[in-house]
Amino acid sequence: MSEALRLEPFRPAHAAALRLRPQAEMLLGGIGPVAALAQAYAKAGPAWTLTACGWPLVCGGAVRFWPGVGELWCWTGEGAERFGVGFARQARGIVRALRAEHGFRRLQAHVLESDKRARGFALFLGLREEGRCPGFGPDGSTYLQYGRYAPWKE
C-alpha cells in the first residue's frame, strides 16, 4: 500500500480536505478556526502533506520559533492508520530533513498526556520526553513536552 503514498508541499487547502479525528477537531477548534491555523502554519515554517491516491491523510511540519528552533505539528486524518508504517517512515524522514535541509538544531512537540499513540509516535521520531505541562491544552488538559536537540544521532 505504501506505493500509493505521496509526500507533497503543504497547502492550506489540504487541511480543509483532511478528515480530522473528532478529538483533534475539538482540540484544534479550541485554538481557532482550522482554516486560519492552516494559513498561519503554512507561513510559519516548512510543512508537507502525505496523500494516498490524491487524498490528504496527514499534514505536518515545523513552526519556526526563531532560527534553529521549531515546534513540530501533525494533523492526522481518519484513515491514516491504514498506512501506518508508510506514514511513520515518511514522518521520520521529514524530521531528519528538518535538521539536515532546514537548519533546525532543536525540534520539540507538545503531546496530549492521555494520547498513548501520539506519545509513542514522538519517541519513534527520536524525541525525548522533557517534562509535563499541566493546563497547557486549549481545554486545560495536561500535555508532555518532547524534544530533540543537536547533536543528533541517527
Side-chain angles (χ1 to χ4, degrees):
M1 269 188 211
S2 63
E3 66 275 358
L5 294 177
R6 190 172 139 214
L7 196 60
E8 55 187 77
F10 173 71
R11 294 189 328 246
H14 294 153
L18 193 65
R19 287 186 288 238
L20 290 169
R21 293 185 180 118
Q23 182 183 18
E25 196 163 9
M26 180 194 70
L27 288 171
L28 288 173
I31 300 171
V34 172
L37 287 172
Q39 289 285 343
Y41 282 13
K43 294 176 185 172
W48 298 267
T49 300
L50 185 65
T51 63
C53 302
W55 192 259
L57 287 177
V58 180
C59 300
V63 172
R64 193 179 302 275
F65 284 162
W66 43 78
V69 178
E71 176 86 13
L72 295 171
W73 63 276
C74 181
W75 299 346
T76 306
E78 292 180 355
E81 294 86 9
R82 291 180 47 222
F83 301 91
V85 173
F87 159 52
R89 288 180 180 157
Q90 291 279 355
R92 191 162 42 187
I94 287 170
V95 169
R96 288 181 180 137
L98 286 168
R99 176 185 164 265
E101 299 168 24
H102 296 278
F104 286 96
R105 69 178 177 276
R106 177 180 171 76
L107 290 168
Q108 62 186 37
H110 287 84
V111 177
L112 184 64
E113 183 177 46
S114 62
D115 190 340
K116 290 182 182 180
R117 180 185 305 168
R119 290 168 53 190
F121 186 59
L123 294 172
F124 175 80
L125 294 177
L127 281 70
R128 293 186 179 159
E129 186 178 328
E130 295 179 332
R132 253 176 121 242
C133 305
F136 182 83
D139 60 350
S141 56
T142 298
Y143 275 63
L144 299 174
Q145 181 171 316
Y146 288 80
R148 187 166 179 173
Y149 176 73
W152 294 22
K153 295 182 181 174
E154 299 297 338

